[in-house]
Amino acid sequence: MPRVLLIEDDPSVREGVELGLRRRGHEVRSAATGEAGLAALGEFRPDLLLLDLMLPGMNGVQVCRRVRESSQLPIIMLTARGDDFDVVVGLEAGADDYIVKPARTEVIEARIRAVLRRIEDFAQGPGGGQGRAAVEVHGELAIDRAGLAVTKSGRQLALAPSELKLLLHLSAAPEQVFSRQQLLEHVWEHGYHADARLVDACVRRLRNKIEDEDGAPRYIQTLRGFGYRFGPL
Amino acid sequence: MISRARTAAFGLRVRLVLAFLLVAAVSAGTTAALTYREARNALLETAQDTAVTSFRDQIQLMGFGLPIQSEGLGDALREIARKGKPHPWVVFAEYGSIRASSGTSPVSTVITPELRRSAAANPNGAFQRVVKDGVPYLTIGMPTVFKAGPGGVLPSRLVMYAVMRMTDEQLNVDALVTAARDGALPGLAIALVPALLAARSVLRPVRELRQAARSMGSGRLDTRIRVRGSDELAELARTFNESAGELERSVEELRQAEERARRFASDVSHELRTPLAGMLAVTEVLDEEAGSLDPDTAKAVRLVSTETGKLAVLVEDLMEISRFDARAAELNTDEVDAAEAIRKTLENRHWTGERGVRTELPDGTRARLDPRRFDLVVANLVGNALRHGGTPVTVRLRTEARSDGVPVLVTEVADSGPGISPEVLPHIFDRFYKADAARTRSAGSGLGLAITLENVRLHGGTVRAGNQPGGGAVFTVEIPLRAEEAEG
């Protein structure tokens, strides 16, 4: 069962979420501040971080950036809808998904499972993984579907779970256009009415890591009004 | 501006200038007319007096002997005619049937019967101005007398007439008229200058006032006018400024009150959210454990769980509404297949198939929508139709051109219930409006349709409620296909 670290300053939310998740079999550790949460990361070694955006002192976005500096740990933010700006900032900082408070435990758990779902499922993507080479080469990118690793010009890239899933999904069907809603469903397993900003933020982060510094995106191209596609190179 | 076109034709400026010119013209005309009359009379009278006096003198000098004979009479007349003053004259004599003149024809065509009558009746003679064929004449009639011994005179029946052309006087008078006219026109032209100045001095404040009023109307309540001088217009400007100040103050107070109310609603819902987040996380635990508790406790636990869920929905809706009120609601549009979006909405809420929602969704209709908000709109309308209306519920999708030509995406949700009563219709989108007085609390938060309305507005669209001819309520949502054109 997944090990979840919860960073949340409000005691009732902290206890409620912890209780709910534990009843569903998760191993939960919680911290009341960002600093305490970062300290707990090392020794608890969670599979996933549940992070409240509004924290006293060091806020959730800062915590998120700090974690992303050194690890690709899946991060889900707890937020309130309407703090729209915060959501975007949090996603830009490297969060993989977010949950609007108040939320039922079943919703929280569904999001956790979606983020943690074995990435191999996505490696099989549209078109299937059968008959593919172990390592696909697209321009300077080498995508190892079995080993779940991506290198650019021989250099290993550190991709967060959502970024890796997105790349695997898009590259499994080169030149096919996926709408944001399709990506939300397949990569994030969100319902149809989910937030397309998740996709946009993730695409931006992924581009920062795989595209060349200058000029137009090569690998992940935007089709105005339709969505995104991988290639053509 | 329609009003501008209307005022431009006979605006203040034109009327002021016209008034000025009219005054100037009347005064110039009156002055000229009076001067002309006086000068003309003076001129003519001088000429007349001279003529009459000298004619009388000439006749007296002559002296006529009786009996009158026409031979000598002609010479005498020619003698008098040489001495015409101030202009040459033609002299006629009439004595019974004898007619004589110094000119070519013995009878003048200019002498009128009136003159003959008054000359015969008046021993001092009479004169008359006559205009014939455009030429002005002075005609003088003078009865002659005979000296009958010393100091006695007897009237004779001989009447002498003199006819004198007065063209020089006419020329003088014409010159006067020309002078008056030539003086009046530049005078009028000069009067234009003060007229325009006066018009400007009135119009500038008026124009400033109009601009200020328009600027206030467009919401800039801090508009003020510069007050110049201390005349009535300055007074008007001052009054305007004072009124504007008052208006600004009261609007500001209203705004603050509204802002406070908004902030309050927003703060309350924010504050409620945190405890609810804790409560909602544990409702599952309550639901699971309720089965193993004694009936009363189980009932209480289930009630807490159910109401917590409802409260969470209410708070979420309240926050949504307060964001609309604070204009903080954002539209995150994406180009989507509308039919696909509606199908997903129905699927996600398990309203397909046996729940009795029929669909008429033509594929391939792409529109720029905020998928999350559109989902809420469709879900709210279909949910209401299922709850308050009656199955089957039908969702129809089509595109058409709105009356102003903008292509819109039309989504219709119709039910087969009793319809909406006429007194409810105008209020159906109001917040917390209870359509059914007996129903103390609706199944939803009471904000569903208000939020739907705001969500559609955010897309630049409209939503309206009505009843179908065949019974059943129908809600129609129209959203412009190009959401960028939406305002606000």
Side-chain angles (χ1 to χ4, degrees), chain B residues 409-464:
Chain B
L409 179 80
V410 183
T411 313
E412 262 181 22
V413 178
D415 64 45
S416 316
I420 306 164
S421 65
E423 60 269 18
V424 171
L425 260 183
H427 304 288
I428 195 138
F429 292 101
D430 293 358
R431 295 165 192 195
F432 299 118
Y433 183 75
K434 300 286 182 282
D436 178 1
R439 213 179 55 235
T440 47
R441 198 149 63 91
S442 59
S445 66
L447 289 169
L449 278 174
I451 289 174
T452 291
L453 175 70
E454 296 285 358
N455 272 327
V456 175
R457 267 195 200 149
L458 203 60
H459 283 88
T462 55
V463 55
R464 55 178 191 275

Side-chain angles (χ1 to χ4, degrees), chain B residues 27-65:
Chain B
S27 47
T30 312
T31 310
L34 287 171
T35 310
Y36 164 76
R37 214 178 63 190
E38 289 302 311
R40 173 169 166 271
N41 287 348
L43 273 171
L44 291 174
E45 270 166 21
T46 310
Q48 271 159 216
D49 292 351
T50 310
V52 172
T53 312
S54 58
F55 191 50
R56 191 182 294 125
D57 291 351
Q58 293 298 325
I59 291 170
Q60 278 176 353
L61 276 176
M62 271 277 133
F64 288 94

Side-chain angles (χ1 to χ4, degrees), chain B residues 7 20 37 100 121 172 198 200 249 297 309 337 365 374 393 398 427 436 446 461 480:
Chain B
T7 55
F20 258 82
R37 214 178 63 190
N172 285 339
R200 188 165 155 252
R249 251 193 307 284
T297 317
D337 183 316
T365 311
F374 188 65
V393 170
R398 63 173 187 275
H427 304 288
D436 178 1

